[in-house]
Structures are given as C-alpha cells and as structure tokens.
C-alpha cells in the first residue's frame, strides 16, 4: 500500500493541537485544506482518527497507538535527509523560531542577535514565549527550533543540553535610606520586595530556597517581566532578588546598586532543548553551537 507522507505532519499537528483551527495555523495552511487532508488521512488509515467533541478533537484509540510510530518515522526521515545537507550560515535565508523564557530573552537574546547579524545576516528570528509548558512552545512537535530556559520533565522526543548554572543577587536603589554596601538578613526581611512572576519554576525555586534558609520575604509588587524591575526599584525602597547576569546588566544603571544576597540562595540551571529530528541537522547543529558560544562569552565577562 502507498502512503502519502505529506499527510503525516497533519496527523501529528492534530495530535498536538486537538483543533483543526490551531493545527492549520501551525502548518501554515487553510482550515479547508487541513480538513481535506484529514479526510484523506482517514481513508488512508481506515479509521476516523479524530472525533469532534465539545472542546476540540479527541483522538481515537488507533490514532493514539499510531502517534509514536509516525513521530519516530518522520524524525528518522528528517535525520537522514537533513544530515546530508550542507549549511553555509553566511548564505542562509530562513526564519527560525526560538522559545526563550523571560530570563533568557533578557540576558541572551541581544548577544545572540548580534552574532547572527555578523555571521548569518539572512537568518531571521521569531521568539515565542516559554513559561513552564513545553507543549505551548511548539518544540515537542519540532515546529520551534529551540526552547531555552529551565526544562522540567521533557518528553522522550526532546534532547536537553545544560548550558550553565546561574546564581542570584539583590538590587536596590542607589540612594537607599537603609541599605548601604551590604544587605543583611535582617534588612532583607524588613524590606518590601518586587517579585517576577515568570518563569514559574524559577519563582518556585526562589521561594523554596528562602524557606530552606529560614528567610522571610514580604512581596509588595509582582511583575510579569524583568524589564519592569529597574523603574520600580529606582523610585521605591523595595528590593528585587534577580539572576546574576540580569543584575550585571542593571549595575550599569546609576539609579541602582547590586548587592550579594544575604544568604546563599544556590543556583538554577539554564538549558536548551530540541526535537530529536534535528540532532544531525547541520543548520541546527550550527545554531546550537552558536548559542553555546554566546553563553560561554557571557560567563567569561562575569
């Protein structure tokens, strides 16, 4: 029996999205085109595959059983074909999707974009948010090239590489009336604090470490991005506990001063993950190497 390989990515997109609309958007095709492809899939595999329910499309038992084999087959095919291709970054013209968490976006992306401008000016980046849900980034399906941040409980089809370990420090305004050159545990507990909500795992990790060290913290304001911190700290007597590389960036702001944390708050890992199908893709290998180079350069500047 002949199989139309063009239909298999449609199957995987529907498995991930459970929605004709979202699957069509992911694949860059119209809803009628995807519905037509689904009809042909059903004929080819002799099964309804997806049943419309109130809140989306539910896979049949056969679809659930077929999904791992189809994903593995496409990954093997991609690996074989992409591994034979040559890649010249200076001549490459493509759009690459990355999913950095807010920390990586603030710290790593400017340096990475600078390297791309120098070495691969034809490559364009599209960034999609990464909080704690890997499925929402598109990396599990392979649509997104890399997810960057802290990777928790990755599925078997993702490869995870450790990039570095990052510590924490504190930021207050330069003319703070109480804090001078050192921040004591007592002062830390008496101050009000600014907390960064995403990424969720970092937030949980900081709260857990403070609790482990017996340190109390009164959160006055919770914000959604590191970019909000400087303006808040500069006009208040509040304190923010932030990753070291972000503190290093903020140290250049004359309105602020960076101080060591009053207790050892440990470190958290920074990682990148990608779909197994890109393991031997020359372009992807080059991109991963570039990310590693940028991280090592940032660490050397500490």
């Amino acid at each position: 029996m002949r199989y139309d390989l063009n239909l298999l990515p449609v199957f995987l997109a529907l498995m991930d999205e459970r929605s004709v609309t979202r699957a069509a958007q992911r694949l860059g095709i119209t809803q009628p085109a995807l519905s037509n492809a689904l009809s042909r899939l059903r004929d080819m595999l002799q099964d309804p595959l997806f049943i419309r329910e109130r809140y989306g499309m539910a896979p049949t038992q056969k679809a659930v059983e077929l999904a791992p084999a189809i994903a593995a087959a496409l990954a093997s095919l991609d690996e074989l074909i992409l591994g034979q291709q040559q890649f010249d970054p200076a001549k490459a013209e493509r759009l690459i999707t990355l999913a950095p968490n807010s920390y990586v976006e603030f710290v790593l992306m400017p340096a990475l974009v600078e390297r791309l401008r120098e070495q691969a000016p034809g490559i364009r980046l599209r960034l999609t948010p990464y909080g704690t849900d890997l499925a929402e980034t598109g990396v599990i399906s392979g649509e997104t090239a890399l997810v960057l941040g802290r990777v928790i409980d990755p599925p078997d089809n993702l490869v995870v590489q450790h990039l570095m370990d990052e510590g924490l420090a504190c930021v207050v305004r330069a003319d703070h009336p109480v804090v001078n050159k050192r921040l004591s545990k007592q002062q830390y507990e008496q101050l009000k604090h600014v907390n960064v909500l995403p990424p969720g795992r970092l937030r949980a990790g900081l709260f857990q470490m403070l609790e482990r060290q017996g340190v109390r913290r009164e959160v006055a304001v919770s914000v959604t991005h590191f970019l909000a911190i400087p303006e808040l700290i500069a006009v208040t007597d509040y304190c923010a506990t932030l990753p070291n590389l972000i503190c290093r960036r903020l140290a250049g702001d004359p309105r602020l001063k960076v101080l060591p944390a009053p207790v050892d708050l440990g470190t958290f890992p920074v990682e990148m993950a990608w779909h197994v199908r890109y393991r031997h893709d020359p372009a992807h290998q080059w991109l991963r190497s570039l990310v590693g180079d940028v991280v090592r350069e940032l660490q050397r500047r500490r």
Side-chain angles (χ1 to χ4, degrees), residues 10 13-36 38 50 52-57 143:
V10 173
L14 283 167
M15 279 297 297
D16 287 342
E17 300 293 347
R18 309 296 170 93
S19 161
V20 170
T21 300
R22 292 196 299 271
Q25 291 172 343
R26 170 185 288 194
L27 296 171
I29 61 178
T30 64
Q31 288 187 47
L34 191 135
S35 296
N36 180 266
L38 177 57
F50 299 93
R52 190 176 299 279
E53 294 186 341
R54 184 177 180 183
Y55 296 108
M57 305 286 283
E143 179 186 10

Side-chain angles (χ1 to χ4, degrees), residues 171-179 183 187-188 190-194 218 220-221 231-240 255-257:
V171 179
V172 296
R173 65 184 175 99
D175 56 348
H176 198 284
V178 176
V179 180
L183 180 61
Q187 288 173 328
Y188 188 90
Q190 291 173 344
L191 293 175
K192 292 186 177 180
H193 293 259
V194 180
E218 181 184 349
V221 183
E231 303 308 316
L232 276 170
I233 296 297
V235 297
T236 67
D237 293 335
Y238 297 167
C239 173
R255 302 172 301 169
L256 310 175
K257 61 183 172 185

Side-chain angles (χ1 to χ4, degrees), residues 170 183-191 193 215 217 241:
C170 296
L183 180 61
S184 68
K185 177 183 175 182
Q186 182 181 11
Q187 288 173 328
Y188 188 90
E189 292 182 324
Q190 291 173 344
L191 293 175
H193 293 259
V215 179
R217 185 176 67 148
T241 305

Side-chain angles (χ1 to χ4, degrees), residues 100-110 127-129 148 225 249:
N101 66 16
S102 58
Y103 163 79
V104 173
E105 186 173 0
F106 188 91
V107 169
L108 186 63
M109 283 302 113
L127 303 186
T128 188
L148 297 146
H225 201 284
R249 292 272 297 274

